[in-house]
Amino acid sequence: MDAVLEDFLSDPAADLSALHDVARIKGLLEQCARDGRAISYSELLLTLGFRFTRPKMRAVCKTVDRIDMLTAQEGAPALAVLVVREGDGLPGQGWWTGRTDYQGQWTGPQAQAHIAKLQSKVFAYWKGRGG
């Protein structure tokens, strides 16, 4: 069996449609924002019923990108900045590529400060908003 297919089939009880469920994932991210916390890729996938694999992470990241398009249309701050790596608390490479609001390194203190500023805006927006 193809390794990518095997990765997707490795969680037999999980519903693969959860990786593409915009409403569910948006709701999870909004709750994280109300709670004033980021969520790791692994935790997000686990909450959806999956163990972490790169193909699943890429699939859920595409959904998060769609969510950011929706939040922009709603006039709300982007939620993708809340999805981070466990190791350093920063978004992955895909989040950084193509950005026009930041030109520094994607790791280290300058990146941490940039992410903290963006996350603070998200937390402030969602604080006290119902869910």
Side-chain angles (χ1 to χ4, degrees):
M1 182 182 300
D2 168 303
V4 172
L5 182 58
E6 189 172 319
D7 276 343
F8 270 93
L9 299 177
S10 63
D11 301 301
D15 176 5
L16 290 177
S17 69
L19 294 170
H20 310 287
D21 189 336
V22 169
R24 181 176 178 193
I25 295 170
K26 186 173 185 278
L28 289 169
L29 295 178
E30 288 170 354
Q31 187 59 54
C32 286
R34 282 189 291 278
D35 294 343
R37 71 178 192 92
I39 187 169
S40 72
Y41 294 100
S42 296
E43 183 184 355
L44 179 55
L45 285 169
L46 185 62
T47 302
L48 296 173
F50 300 99
R51 66 181 179 84
F52 179 90
T53 65
R54 291 199 182 281
K56 289 176 190 154
M57 179 193 68
R58 283 190 292 273
V60 83
C61 285
K62 288 179 182 176
T63 304
V64 172
D65 286 344
R66 285 196 297 276
I67 290 166
D68 274 358
M69 287 190 292
L70 289 173
T71 58
Q73 292 170 356
E74 296 166 356
L79 293 165
V81 71
L82 301 181
V83 185
V84 299
R85 298 183 296 238
E86 286 180 0
D88 61 7
L90 293 169
Q93 178 179 345
W95 183 87
W96 295 97
T97 57
R99 297 203 67 83
T100 58
D101 63 337
Y102 178 81
Q103 300 302 314
Q105 296 290 318
W106 299 344
T107 60
Q110 186 180 3
Q112 292 281 355
H114 182 68
I115 295 306
K117 183 174 90 175
L118 294 177
Q119 287 178 346
S120 291
K121 289 179 182 177
V122 174
F123 300 152
Y125 178 87
W126 285 100
K127 185 177 182 174
R129 290 183 189 262

